[in-house]
Every structure is written in C-alpha cells, then in structure tokens.
Amino acid sequence: MNVSALATAVVVLASPGLAFAGPFAIDTSACPSLDAEEIDRRVRVELADVATAQEGAGSLRVTFTCNDAPKGMATVVISDPITDKRVERTVPLPPKLDRERVLALVAAQLFTTSWLELLTHPSPDARPAPRDPPPAALTDRALERANAEAGSGGRARGIELAVGGLADLRSLGSGPIFLGGGFVRPGFFLGDHLRLDLASSFATGHAARTHGAIDATVFGFGLGLGYRSSGRASVAFEGHALASLAYARVVGTSDSPGFGDATARGFFADFSLAFGPSVRIGASHLALEALGGLALPKLRAAVEGDHDLVLSGAFVGARLTLAAGWGGS
C-alpha cells in the first residue's frame, strides 16, 4: 500500500458514522439524522442471529442514506456475503423517537429477504454463482433461517399441538390424594417465544380412608400462556401459566358396617404455573415441568371418622409433554 492509499484508508476509517468491528460494517455518514452510536448498537442487536448464521463468509455491510426533507425517506442497503448480493429498501423516515430501532429491523429483514432466494434453488443461468462461494455449511445455516422466517415477517407464527401425562398431589392439608391422567394442549404462536395455549385434561385418583376408599375424577378446560426460551436450541426452558375451569366428581365407598356410600360433585377454578427443561427431538420438543397451583373456591367431600377430601386449595404436580409445531419457531 502506497502513502496515498494509506492516507485514504485512514480518512475513511475516521469518517463519522462509519463503524468496522468484527462481523459488522455499518455506515451512517449519509444519514446525519441518525444517532450513530444508537443505530450501531441496534443493528448489532438485530443482526446477532444473522451474524452467527453467516460467520466465516465475511462482514455484514449496512449503509444508511436519508433524505430529511418533509416526508423524508431512508434507504437501507446491505451487502450479503452468503448470496453475493446487494439489496436495498427505501422506507419513510420513521419518527425520531423510534428511528434507530425501526431502521435496524429493516436491515435485519433485508438479509433474510436475500436468503429467501436460496429457497427457490435458482439455476446457474438465473443467478451466477458468487465469485467466492461460501462453504456449504454457511449456506445451510442461511437456508434454515430463511426457511424459518419465510412469510412470517421475522416473527414466529403457527400452531403447536402438545400431548402429555400429568401427576398431581391434592388435598395436601387433609389426607393427600394422588391424581394421574393426561392432557391435550393446542397452542398458537404470538411471537418467537410466546404462545396462547388451550388445554383440556382428565385425571383420576384413589385414596384409602379408615372406613373405605375415595375415588376422584377431575375434568378441566383452560386458557393460558406458554413460553419457550428457544425453538431451535437443543435444550431450552419451558414455562406455562394456565387458568382452568374444572369439574370434579368424588365417590366414597364404605367397607365398614354403619357407614354408607356417598357422592360429591362440583365446579372450581384452577390456576397453575409450570416450568422446566425442554429437549428438542427433530421438529418436536419433550419437556418435563414442575407445577404448583391453587384451586378456588373450597371443594370438600366430607368423610365420616377420617380426613375429608379437599380438591381445592394448594396443589403440586408435574407434567411430561411432547409437542410438535407447524409454521412456528
């Protein structure tokens, strides 16, 4: 490099709004209305996953150009090392309060849009090969991300169906009873991590008493929110909050003279929180969650000469869940 070229390089690197660090090259010099430090931070946050997917293929280059006239426009240009393409989008200049965040999101979406080309498997005539093609592993990572976000606007959208087994311990304060059963839980994605869950469940239990035995059956239907820390990681964290309407039927059978059989039934509200680890198995997730909850109002089956059976109040339990999703994260 001669002295003239070196001087030019020094001037470029010192220019305001131009940042080169690690996998990023962000140029805001043609958009003085942007907060250079804030847009730099926002772009790095929004492109963190993109940078991971293309690691080893080259820098992510993003250039911002703004026209600050009334009804101003902003142009975002990205250079994609995976497809060897230059992609740009011009959008109305966002409000100043939210400008950096919105434009950083536009930049992230441009990379995903560029990678969507990989889904069409274009012929060499339709799209010449890059001068320096990236390794196949990089293309595969880009393809996986583009496939996951195709048509989703960058957010997970779809459904999930979960089935599983449940084990609850109720009537904790007066002669516990163990309930075992199963559930079905369809969920609807609200974002990358959050779902709206519906749940229906069935459980039965048996408890011995001094003068006989008690059998309990509980049906429930609920609505709640589900959370998964990652839809793509091998191991993730699951959490659920559920509010249910439950119906219980309790049958007491006597085996002692002087004590008769009895039946009790009723509705109650059931609120629970569950959390635990989740393991990805192909396109499915297997989760084991600990659970705690509270049932209201008081639902009690009186037992002569022994502890009553109380299905309301505090309870603990566990859930083993197998879930498969379509169109989500």
Side-chain angles (χ1 to χ4, degrees):
M1 180 183 290
N2 58 34
V3 174
S4 175
L6 179 59
T8 301
V10 170
V11 170
V12 170
L13 289 176
S15 297
L18 194 60
F20 289 94
F24 298 101
I26 304 165
D27 185 357
T28 61
S29 58
C31 196
S33 65
L34 285 179
D35 182 328
E37 292 185 4
E38 179 63 11
I39 192 67
D40 181 76
R41 184 185 72 82
R42 289 283 189 176
V43 169
R44 291 172 192 276
V45 169
E46 298 298 339
L47 295 185
D49 289 344
V50 176
T52 299
Q54 66 82 54
E55 185 176 0
S59 295
L60 299 175
R61 298 180 176 270
V62 187
T63 302
F64 297 92
T65 304
C66 298
N67 172 10
D68 293 329
K71 296 184 179 180
M73 305 295 287
T75 300
V76 184
V77 180
I78 63 105
S79 297
D80 178 13
I82 294 288
T83 59
D84 196 29
K85 289 176 60 180
R86 179 181 181 275
V87 183
E88 70 176 61
R89 178 174 297 165
T90 299
V91 298
L93 199 60
K96 191 169 183 61
L97 184 64
D98 215 27
R99 186 167 296 174
E100 287 75 16
R101 184 185 68 85
V102 172
L103 292 181
L105 285 169
V106 171
Q109 284 304 302
L110 283 179
F111 279 101
T112 300
T113 300
S114 176
W115 291 349
L116 288 175
E117 181 183 280
L118 300 171
L119 298 174
T120 64
H121 306 288
S123 67
D125 293 336
R127 174 187 170 273
R131 293 184 297 275
D132 297 308
L138 297 182
T139 303
D140 289 344
R141 290 205 300 265
L143 180 60
E144 180 181 356
R145 179 178 173 86
N147 198 20
E149 298 204 13
S152 70
R155 300 187 65 80
R157 298 185 189 277
I159 61 173
E160 178 176 272
L161 180 63
V163 296
L166 63 86
D168 288 350
L169 192 62
R170 303 215 179 203
S171 193
L172 299 177
S174 58
I177 182 171
F178 173 82
L179 299 177
F183 64 90
V184 177
R185 190 184 68 216
F188 304 87
F189 289 103
L190 302 177
D192 294 330
H193 307 286
L194 201 63
R195 295 184 316 277
L196 175 67
D197 285 338
L198 305 177
S200 58
S201 62
F202 168 79
T204 62
H206 178 87
R209 290 294 188 264
T210 303
H211 302 290
I214 294 175
D215 293 283
T217 304
V218 180
F219 300 89
F221 180 80
L223 177 69
L225 292 175
Y227 172 84
R228 180 176 295 126
S229 61
S230 172
R232 293 182 286 270
S234 298
V235 179
F237 174 84
E238 293 269 357
H240 294 93
L242 188 69
S244 300
L245 177 65
Y247 173 79
R249 182 174 183 269
V250 180
V251 177
T253 305
S254 173
D255 58 9
S256 300
F259 293 90
D261 297 343
T263 300
R265 59 178 61 86
F267 288 92
F268 59 97
D270 198 303
F271 304 93
S272 64
L273 291 173
F275 59 92
S278 170
V279 178
R280 182 175 179 179
I281 305 174
S284 303
H285 290 84
L286 182 66
L288 178 61
E289 297 172 289
L291 174 143
L294 183 67
L296 300 168
K298 203 168 190 67
L299 183 64
R300 178 186 298 272
V303 179
E304 293 186 55
D306 207 329
H307 293 293
D308 292 345
L309 180 69
V310 183
L311 288 178
S312 53
F315 64 92
V316 295
R319 302 288 185 268
L320 180 63
T321 308
L322 179 64
W326 293 268
S329 61

